[in-house]
């Protein structure tokens, strides 16, 4: 059942362009293999622009971006949004100043999620690039990225993320085991900076582990 | 001895373009080193468009694609098809809805084939991207990719693949030891998605093994 | 407080172009993740052109380069220079013939800095490419790249670098622990050659260590 | 002292283009770091077109290619040829049907040369891509790539290579320890296919060793 479109269509067009530009660059880096990954931007308090399920992320056009409301329902379209739409809207609901959510699926992210899955988090310490995460001003801080167990049942996953948030611990991004990374920001630029920094730092951690064993 | 051409030449042209486009992208990723690899598409029940032997896969043109029948005989041309043509036609014969077969030769594929050659298969489990393989709907399924011993004698290799298929086990793709990967699909898009997902997953498995030792 | 601009503005424009060109190529190689890294060129004895803090290094324009004096003060602008400007001016003060300073933040550099941080230096020996460092004419020479502990307090870092230089030991480049590499040269070309050679050699050392363990 | 130019200048132009094209592609792959590497083609029995010393291999123009005779003397120019010119002319003298010699300096080549330097050779066996080396028709053959100790004194190096050849053992390419690879062929295409195959196979060997330890 689709509601009438009440969002700003010019803003949708701008978001679709920003999403397609980002996705094309991530695809070129190999972070969106085999039509995986999904991306979204907040249009307003009630609407989110998000990638349609199953499209090639290196070649997104305006037709590959659709609108959902904060309960994951398509708005003004019969297209099917990504199966993981609930993870995007959860972030927008819990973080009112978040404007962009990026989910990628790089080899580094997938491998790190498996390797650190049992510990339930990746602990980053001593890296200058932690400062790329908003609110972090020193390499001496500790940056924990939780790894949640994977499931094909979204309510189970959102419940785990809510449980983490309800403890009051900071959450800048998270991994899903055997899967990929979710990162976000108060603008597409900030979200991209967070994603790029975390991809880099996870790669560094894997390298250090290989070299220290 | 070449039979008279009875296939649709417009369809051949479309397939040649689709093959050249795919091959160019694979070459840019380093998956077709030193004129290795070969690619094909089904034209109809009796004909297959396939790459001519020995060409640079990054620069394929219409002249680099030829037609063979299902018994590997050139049709309407004196060109020599890939030495591994029999592996392509076997897939088309055994899987009537397959429309594209892709054989690449990436470093990850070659190394994985050597590493898992003794076990005779790579077992993939717990990876979200297994869902990119048609018919797989969960990371909890098991996806086995057999590794067949290499030989320069094609009938020996097709016999081994027939033997696997005759047991009724599923076959979505296979590796040849010290060589590369064969993957396929009901369309070029599906075949590419399968290839891209398996290249990614084999890379993840190698990384995990490096990190867990 | 900004002093009146007394530098050659045509030279500033030429330097800005040279910096932007170099930065774009480094960004494409992944050496400047998440707006990290900074680059400068000497304009004259009293002025340095340097990247403005926080800009995307893959897309630098004339507006992203500013002028500072040798005491790190902005000249003719209210823009904020990189937090690490003091490291650039120190090199220009200590090496009067240096004309370009490049600071990048590649994964190889970050990982090498952590791995060799305790030893305080990376010792390079037996590599032909050591000859790319000016003054080195044989693979048989020894090339030491110090690793200084990271700190967010620049005077502490410049004091450590001064202390190294005051011992009279050669200094062609240095790493900062958990951070990245500083390299320089008597021209942008020489600085780039040094940076490229050291990135390569650090990568080789990490590979050898992985393979020899 | 430069002799009068007696070679075919149209052929020189064609060779310069072929060398520049190949070099640009190798540079993009990172195989020619920091102005390392050199490339040549035979013009006739007495002349070789070769890269001028110290140029950026990603941006070679006609002015970056010069002519030498078979005794390494510049012909019709005052430019200085690569310090390793003697290694090129040796191959042309010893292999009369060789028309192109390629020397690159990739990270894989440098690391493999150090790792296998003590054994004096890399032994390749069981890889399908060995068939890319002319004369090899099966993965079951053995392909030995010698690793010669590095020296800045060229006559020492050419003597070692002559000694290998004088034993009658086949030589398709060689590594120099801590340095890079020399490969060649009866045409630029064959030389490139040999280089590309060996870069791939050395990378596979390093990966297998990492994974088998």
């Amino acid at each position: 059942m689709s509601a009438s479109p009440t969002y700003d269509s010019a803003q949708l067009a701008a978001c679709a362009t920003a999403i397609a530009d980002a996705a094309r660059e991530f695809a070129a880096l190999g972070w969106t293999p085999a039509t995986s990954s999904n991306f979204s931007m907040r249009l307003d308090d009630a609407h989110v622009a998000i990638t349609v399920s199953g499209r090639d992320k290196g070649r997104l056009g305006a037709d590959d971006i659709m609108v959902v409301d904060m309960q994951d329902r398509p708005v003004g379209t019969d297209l099917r949004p990504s199966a993981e739409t609930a993870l995007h809207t959860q972030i927008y609901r819990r973080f009112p100043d978040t404007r962009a959510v990026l989910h990628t699926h790089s080899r580094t992210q997938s491998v790190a999620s498996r390797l650190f899955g049992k510990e339930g988090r990746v602990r980053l310490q001593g890296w200058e690039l932690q400062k790329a995460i908003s609110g972090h001003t020193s390499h001496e801080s500790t940056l924990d990225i939780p790894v949640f167990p994977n499931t094909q049942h979204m309510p189970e996953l959102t419940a785990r993320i809510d449980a983490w948030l309800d403890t009051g611990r900071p959450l800048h991004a998270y991994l899903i085991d055997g899967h990929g990374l979710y990162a976000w920001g108060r603008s597409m630029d900030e979200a991209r900076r967070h994603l790029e920094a975390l991809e880099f730092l996870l790669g560094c951690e894997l390298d250090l582990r290989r070299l220290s064993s």
Side-chain angles (χ1 to χ4, degrees), chain A:
Chain A
M1 192 183 73
S2 73
S4 65
T6 56
Y7 51 82
D8 179 338
S9 64
Q11 202 190 344
L12 172 60
C15 288
T17 299
I19 289 172
D21 287 350
R24 195 175 47 248
E25 295 187 34
F26 301 154
L29 293 164
W31 298 357
T32 66
T35 78
S36 68
S37 307
N38 39 70
F39 310 106
S40 70
M41 288 189 80
R42 181 197 291 274
L43 293 174
D44 53 44
D45 282 357
H47 299 97
V48 170
I50 191 164
T51 41
V52 176
S53 181
R55 303 293 166 91
D56 179 339
K57 298 311 179 293
R59 296 182 176 89
L60 294 180
D63 291 349
D64 300 313
I65 313 291
M66 60 181 291
V67 178
V68 294
D69 65 20
M70 290 295 171
Q71 286 71 45
D72 313 327
R73 292 174 299 207
V75 177
T77 175
D78 293 328
L79 290 167
R80 193 165 59 89
S82 161
E84 290 153 13
T85 296
L87 302 180
H88 290 251
T89 55
Q90 179 183 36
I91 296 298
Y92 291 115
R93 287 192 314 266
R94 302 279 318 219
F95 296 101
D97 59 352
T98 289
R99 298 202 68 82
V101 176
L102 305 174
H103 165 48
T104 52
H105 201 121
S106 77
R107 180 164 150 183
T108 291
Q109 292 160 14
S110 287
V111 170
S113 72
R114 287 289 287 263
L115 199 69
F116 294 97
K118 269 173 228 147
E119 299 168 45
R121 60 151 167 70
V122 187
R123 173 153 288 184
L124 299 163
Q125 259 177 329
W127 300 104
E128 178 73 10
L129 211 66
Q130 295 170 220
K131 288 166 60 186
I133 308 299
S134 292
H136 284 256
T137 57
S138 169
H139 64 285
E140 288 170 338
S141 66
T142 297
L143 175 59
D144 277 348
I145 308 297
V147 186
F148 296 113
N150 196 14
T151 167
Q152 300 303 321
H153 188 56
M154 284 304 113
E156 205 178 316
L157 199 40
T158 54
R160 283 201 183 100
I161 296 158
D162 275 329
W164 174 286
L165 286 166
D166 291 343
T167 65
R169 279 174 290 181
L171 185 70
H172 299 91
Y174 59 81
L175 287 162
I176 305 174
D177 195 348
H179 196 151
L181 183 80
Y182 276 81
W184 52 88
R186 289 162 300 177
S187 64
M188 177 58 92
D189 276 355
E190 189 180 82
R192 291 183 66 165
R193 200 182 71 225
H194 287 169
L195 171 59
E196 210 180 327
L198 290 167
E199 167 73 14
F200 180 89
L201 291 170
L202 293 173
C204 287
E205 285 291 334
L206 294 188
D207 281 351
L208 258 195
R209 197 172 255 237
R210 269 185 205 113
L211 283 155
S212 308
S213 67

